[in-house]
Amino acid sequence: MKHFTTLLFTLITLSAAAQGTPQAKEILDKAAAKVKALPAAEVIFTLSMENPEEGIEETHNGHAWMKGNLYRLDLMDVENYYDGEVIYTYMPDVQEVNIKNPSDEEEGFLNPATLFDIHNQGFTQKLVSHTGGIAYIELTPTEEKGFSKIGIWVNTSDSSIRKVTSFGKDGNQITISITRITTPSPLPSDAFFRFDTAAHPDVEVIDLR
C-alpha cells in the first residue's frame, strides 16, 4: 500500500499545467476520456517495486472500483473506501478501521482515478516510441521531485493504458500494470464504497474525524 500511495501522492501534488507534444497529449487524453466515460469501472492490476542495488523485488495484486468520485481500493491486505465524504481504511489482519475526513491530497493519493489523468498534473510530455500499436510516452516533472520521469504505455488501438512506471532518483522503480478495466455488472451502489461498521461488530472503529 505504501508504494502505491507514494506514487500517486507524488503525482497529484504537482500543480503546474501539462506541456508537451500534441501527439503525446492526444493519446493520453483519449485514454483518460475512455475511463471517465464509463458509468463505473472495475480495475484489476499489479503493483511492483524494484531496486536492484538494494535487492528489492516485490509484486502485489490489486483490485479497484470507481464510480464518479467514489472509489474502493484493495491492495496489500488493506481495504480503502471513499464514499464522497470520508475515507475508511480497513485492516482485516488487526480488525481495525480508521475513519477520517480527508484533505484534498489524502483523497487524491488513494483515488485510482488519479492514475488515468496524471499527464495533466504538472509534466512535460514526450512520445518516445510507437511500435506494434503500443505508444510509450515519458512525462518529466516541471518541478524538482523525487523521481526523474514517469513512463506510460498505451495501446493506441483501443486507447487503453497498459502500464505506468515511476523512475525514482533513489533507484526505486514502481510499476502499476493494468490487467483489465471493465464496467462492473451490476453497477455498484453507493453503499459499496462505504465500510459497513454494523456488519462488522468485531472490528475496532477509530474515528479520527
Side-chain angles (χ1 to χ4, degrees):
M1 176 63 66
K2 179 180 70 174
H3 299 149
F4 181 79
T5 56
T6 297
L7 170 57
L8 291 189
F9 181 77
T10 56
L11 300 182
I12 60 95
T13 53
L14 299 173
S15 59
Q19 307 173 30
T21 60
Q23 189 174 12
K25 179 171 173 56
E26 180 182 357
I27 291 171
L28 294 174
D29 281 346
K30 285 183 178 180
K34 179 180 178 179
V35 176
K36 292 178 180 178
L38 299 175
E42 182 176 2
V43 185
I44 306 296
F45 65 93
T46 59
L47 180 144
S48 63
M49 179 176 177
E50 298 180 4
N51 189 321
E53 291 186 1
E54 297 185 8
I56 297 175
E57 184 174 353
E58 55 184 72
T59 300
H60 305 276
N61 294 321
H63 201 166
W65 297 262
M66 301 175 289
K67 188 177 80 168
N69 69 327
L70 313 181
Y71 67 81
R72 173 176 168 177
L73 170 65
D74 295 359
L75 180 65
M76 296 173 67
D77 300 322
V78 176
E79 299 174 11
N80 292 276
Y81 303 76
Y82 180 63
D83 63 2
E85 295 183 1
V86 299
I87 286 179
Y88 304 79
T89 302
Y90 173 47
M91 295 160 281
D93 58 337
V94 296
Q95 287 292 282
E96 177 182 302
V97 61
N98 293 330
I99 305 175
K100 67 182 301 184
N101 293 315
S103 66
D104 291 341
E105 289 182 351
E106 288 171 326
E107 193 281 312
F109 73 65
L110 284 173
N111 193 334
T114 304
L115 183 67
F116 301 98
D117 200 35
I118 61 174
H119 63 290
N120 288 318
Q121 302 295 327
F123 297 92
T124 58
Q125 310 163 356
K126 179 181 179 181
L127 178 61
V128 178
S129 64
H130 191 179
T131 58
I134 302 297
Y136 172 58
I137 296 169
E138 287 185 348
L139 308 181
T140 303
T142 54
E143 298 179 1
E144 185 68 22
K145 296 296 175 181
F147 56 90
S148 58
K149 62 182 178 181
I150 290 175
I152 303 180
W153 288 259
V154 181
N155 184 333
T156 53
S157 66
D158 61 2
S159 295
S160 61
I161 294 178
R162 291 291 187 85
K163 184 169 66 173
V164 179
T165 298
S166 171
F167 298 88
K169 295 178 180 178
D170 56 0
N172 290 331
Q173 183 172 306
I174 302 172
T175 298
I176 298 172
S177 300
I178 298 173
T179 304
R180 185 173 73 249
I181 301 178
T182 57
T183 301
S185 181
L187 294 179
S189 66
D190 289 357
F192 176 78
F193 301 95
R194 182 182 307 112
F195 182 80
D196 189 349
T197 55
H200 299 81
D202 296 330
V203 173
E204 180 182 4
V205 177
I206 300 178
D207 196 329
L208 303 173
R209 292 174 289 182

